[in-house]
Amino acid sequence: MHSVESKTILSAKNGMNLYRGCLHGCIYCDSKSDCYHMEHDFEDIEIKSNAISLLEDALRKKRKKCMIGTGSMTDPYIPLEAKLCNVQKSLQLIERYGFGFTVITKSDLILRDLDLLKSINQKTKCVVQMTLTTYDEELCKKLEPNVCTTKRRVEVLEILRDNGIPTVVWLSPILPFINDTKENIEGILQYCIDAKVYGILCFGMGLTLRSGNREYFYAQLDRHFPGLSAKYRKIYGDSYIVGSRNNSELMKIFHSKCENVGIVHDNDEIFRYLSTFEEKSKFEQLKMF
């Protein structure tokens, strides 16, 4: 790891990245793409040494409350967070200043901060977004080797449910010839139903590959699925969109199942929900206690 001083912490859309780089080891990681101009090894985590002071200054100066988000580029609950606690410190500020919060993660380390998440959600809105890619535990260990498996993530979703915290699942990516099966999609959807998630984000069955992450992905295919990278190259070449041959069938299952059980499955509607700040009334806050 290494430290840098940053000039800003919040983007124009109020997103923040406390770290750059990740150790989860997901074989499909888009953040390895060259377009993000990572000027250090991806596993050499960059820490913004002044992130907490920058965040407090930014929150203090904001004229309107809003949702603060993190996790779009780097999962903030990497193992290093257990020691540095920058997410926890950020949550303390967000809670103190009365802002909403949403996070994308694959890690059960988020449960460490459950009390803070609950406190934020009592005042406004706190939404936890969790990525689920496969129902198969052994396959999960190959696709996402250095983070908790799907079963544990679902346990986290259920704990959040029981504590009144809304959740959203990212059903992405679905890798052709690996996890693009009816059994996998139905298994994940059943997990989501049991956990009573608010919504599921899905951009189609497949993944995107760009310079940087494509090479890494193919190397991992050669390691875990010998011969499959050659098949990808033959079918998809250097395409950005790598779609599953089962897309039509699987998307019908996805939309139909979500519609039947009342899970929001319109991406635009979910993103509006995630970005909309909602301040709870005193009556609503008392009801939550």
Side-chain angles (χ1 to χ4, degrees):
M1 68 177 190
H2 66 280
S3 298
V4 298
E5 279 209 0
S6 183
K7 293 182 179 179
T8 59
I9 190 61
L10 292 181
S11 70
K13 294 185 177 181
N14 299 304
M16 65 176 179
N17 286 309
L18 298 167
Y19 307 113
R20 290 196 78 197
C22 186
L23 294 172
H24 288 346
C26 303
I27 72 170
Y28 50 75
C29 182
D30 175 71
S31 294
K32 287 179 174 286
S33 299
D34 294 341
C35 64
Y36 298 122
H37 305 292
M38 190 82 68
E39 296 177 357
H40 55 87
D41 289 341
F42 195 72
E43 291 74 21
D44 177 17
I45 308 299
E46 182 176 282
I47 303 162
K48 296 179 180 179
S49 59
N50 57 338
I52 305 306
S53 60
L54 285 174
L55 179 62
E56 180 162 23
D57 189 51
L59 296 180
R60 190 189 300 117
K61 289 179 179 178
K62 277 194 175 292
R63 295 182 180 180
K64 289 184 178 181
K65 298 290 194 297
C66 64
M67 296 292 290
I68 305 297
T70 190
S72 60
M73 276 295 296
T74 296
D75 190 329
Y77 284 103
I78 53 177
L80 196 60
E81 165 62 19
K83 176 183 178 181
L84 297 180
C85 299
N86 281 338
V87 180
Q88 188 175 68
K89 294 170 186 175
S90 298
L91 284 170
Q92 290 168 345
L93 290 174
I94 290 166
E95 191 274 339
R96 185 190 311 162
Y97 285 95
F99 286 77
F101 180 70
T102 186
V103 57
I104 307 171
T105 186
K106 296 184 179 84
S107 174
D108 58 354
L109 180 56
I110 192 170
L111 292 179
R112 179 201 62 186
D113 298 329
L114 182 59
D115 287 345
L116 280 166
L117 301 175
K118 287 170 61 177
S119 183
I120 292 169
N121 198 51
Q122 286 163 359
K123 297 177 182 178
T124 172
K125 185 167 69 185
C126 176
V127 187
V128 174
Q129 305 171 60
M130 187 74 72
T131 301
L132 302 180
T133 59
T134 178
Y135 183 74
D136 184 321
E137 288 291 283
E138 292 307 310
L139 180 58
C140 185
K141 293 173 185 177
K142 293 181 180 180
L143 302 183
E144 301 146 349
N146 302 326
V147 69
C148 64
T149 63
T150 299
K151 187 175 181 181
R152 176 55 176 162
R153 290 178 222 170
V154 174
E155 290 175 354
V156 172
L157 290 172
E158 291 173 340
I159 292 169
L160 294 168
R161 173 202 65 198
D162 293 343
N163 282 274
I165 296 170
T167 56
V168 166
V169 161
W170 287 71
L171 183 58
S172 173
I174 301 300
L175 311 176
F177 312 109
I178 297 177
N179 61 341
D180 60 337
T181 65
K182 178 181 177 182
E183 292 75 19
N184 185 51
I185 299 306
E186 289 183 337
I188 293 174
L189 291 175
Q190 190 58 54
Y191 273 150
C192 293
I193 293 167
D194 294 342
K196 292 182 169 57
V197 305
Y198 167 84
I200 304 175
L201 286 162
C202 181
F203 301 90
M205 301 297 163
L207 76 159
T208 58
L209 292 177
R210 294 185 268 209
S211 177
N213 82 311
R214 180 184 292 107
E215 292 78 7
Y216 176 77
F217 177 62
Y218 284 169
Q220 296 305 307
L221 289 186
D222 289 336
R223 178 183 175 193
H224 296 291
F225 310 95
L228 191 52
S229 69
K231 191 172 185 178
Y232 267 73
R233 289 186 176 94
K234 182 178 179 180
I235 297 173
Y236 303 109
D238 291 332
S239 297
Y240 171 61
I241 302 294
V242 178
S244 167
R245 69 205 187 286
N246 301 326
N247 180 72
S248 180
E249 175 194 2
L250 297 180
M251 288 304 290
K252 285 180 182 177
I253 293 171
F254 165 67
H255 286 301
S256 176
K257 181 71 76 171
C258 288
E259 191 68 28
N260 289 341
V261 298
I263 292 176
V264 180
H265 52 108
D266 179 273
N267 293 341
D268 291 338
E269 183 177 350
I270 295 172
F271 282 126
R272 281 193 296 271
Y273 172 74
L274 292 172
S275 63
T276 301
F277 176 80
E278 301 172 11
E279 192 162 20
K280 292 185 172 72
S281 67
K282 295 294 183 182
F283 176 72
E284 288 176 301
Q285 292 182 40
L286 287 171
K287 279 178 65 179
M288 294 186 75
F289 284 104

